């Protein structure tokens, strides 16, 4: 693996995880976002790669582990920002978002020897990971984001380009309070689970119904 990319927002109250508010306060939602991002970054740091890049909307903080290059997200829609992230890569690259703190180095250790692309579907119809042996920004531009068909459209775009696609396991993004509880249960020893347990409303929201948006953030 040449490059591992994480696309993320700075975890500031009112700017991240707004669908957790309510039941969580903006400060609690930002704390959960920071924990999710930190778990994700540490999983990436433990994954073999030549280069690790945080593609960030905002400024880095003490949650950023060593060994990462930080580049600013470009302007435009999510498809443009994802495309631009790949544009800065010279060889094989895998991109993930900040919403899957249950991710592990094993999941991120992909081999392009017998494929051209890796695709990680999300339970909400989006995708949590996308890997390209030869990064081509045009494969992402124009894909409609934040819809129930985002993942299907993106994967079909890869197939239509003649790429050999392999699938990663389907994961659940953290967008709502029920998502948060479900994901924390999958990684109970992580920073995200610990931060959730400290939120006063955590027990009250554990069984609420789920309604999720789509796509890496």
């Amino acid at each position: 693996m040449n490059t591992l990319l994480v696309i993320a927002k700075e975890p500031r109250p009112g700017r991240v995880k707004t669908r957790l508010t309510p039941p969580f306060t903006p400060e609690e939602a930002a704390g959960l976002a920071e924990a999710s991002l930190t778990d994700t970054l540490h999983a990436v740091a433990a994954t073999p790669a030549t280069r690790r890049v945080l593609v960030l909307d905002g400024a880095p903080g003490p949650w950023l582990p060593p060994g990462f290059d930080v580049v600013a997200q470009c302007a435009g829609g999510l498809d443009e920002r994802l495309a631009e992230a790949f544009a800065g890569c010279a060889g094989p690259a895998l991109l993930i978002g900040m919403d899957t703190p249950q991710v592990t180095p094993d999941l991120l250790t992909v081999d392009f020897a017998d494929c051209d692309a890796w695709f990680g579907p999300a339970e909400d119809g989006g995708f949590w990971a996308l890997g390209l042996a030869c990064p081509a920004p045009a494969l992402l531009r124009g894909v409609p984001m934040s819809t129930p068909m985002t993942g299907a459209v993106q994967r079909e775009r890869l197939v239509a380009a003649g790429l050999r696609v392999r699938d990663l396991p389907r994961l659940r993004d953290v967008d709502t309070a029920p998502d948060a509880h479900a994901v924390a249960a999958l990684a109970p020893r992580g920073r995200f689970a610990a931060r959730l347990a400290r939120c006063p409303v955590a027990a009250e929201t554990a069984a609420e119904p789920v309604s999720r948006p789509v796509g890496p953030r």
Side-chain angles (χ1 to χ4, degrees):
M1 171 64 63
N2 281 15
T3 304
L4 280 169
L5 302 156
V6 180
I7 188 164
K9 288 183 179 180
E10 179 187 356
R12 293 173 55 191
R15 296 190 69 248
V16 292
K17 296 294 170 214
T18 56
R19 298 192 73 239
L20 290 177
T21 308
F24 300 100
T25 67
E27 290 74 21
E28 288 169 340
L32 290 170
E34 179 177 328
S36 179
L37 176 56
T38 304
D39 279 343
T40 301
L41 291 173
H42 278 266
V44 170
T47 304
T50 303
R51 184 182 181 215
R52 298 172 184 87
V53 181
L54 174 62
V55 186
L56 185 63
D57 176 2
W63 38 263
L64 178 65
F68 282 80
D69 296 332
V70 179
V71 300
Q73 290 186 28
C74 70
L78 181 56
D79 63 319
E80 288 289 342
R81 288 179 278 138
L82 296 176
E84 187 64 21
F86 277 107
C89 302
L94 179 73
L95 179 146
I96 65 171
M98 62 180 285
D99 295 339
T100 50
Q102 73 272 41
V103 75
T104 64
D106 284 346
L107 281 175
L108 300 178
T109 304
V110 299
D111 187 353
F112 288 95
D114 61 351
C115 69
D116 306 302
W118 284 89
F119 184 78
E123 287 191 5
D124 60 11
F127 59 95
W128 67 270
L130 179 63
L132 296 172
C134 297
L139 291 172
L140 293 107
R141 291 192 175 106
V143 172
M145 297 289 163
S146 300
T147 80
M149 296 300 295
T150 293
V153 173
Q154 181 63 76
R155 195 183 189 286
E156 178 55 33
R157 179 78 70 87
L158 304 176
V159 173
L163 304 186
R164 297 168 299 167
V165 182
R166 293 189 65 181
D167 292 310
L168 290 160
R170 186 179 302 272
L171 295 187
R172 184 170 182 168
D173 289 334
V174 174
D175 290 312
T176 66
D179 292 334
H181 287 282
V183 169
L186 294 173
R189 297 182 181 180
R191 296 166 184 82
F192 181 80
R195 191 63 173 258
L196 178 65
R198 297 201 302 269
C199 293
V201 298
E204 301 172 14
T205 59
E208 290 183 4
V210 178
S211 176
R212 299 187 293 272
V214 179
R217 303 291 179 267

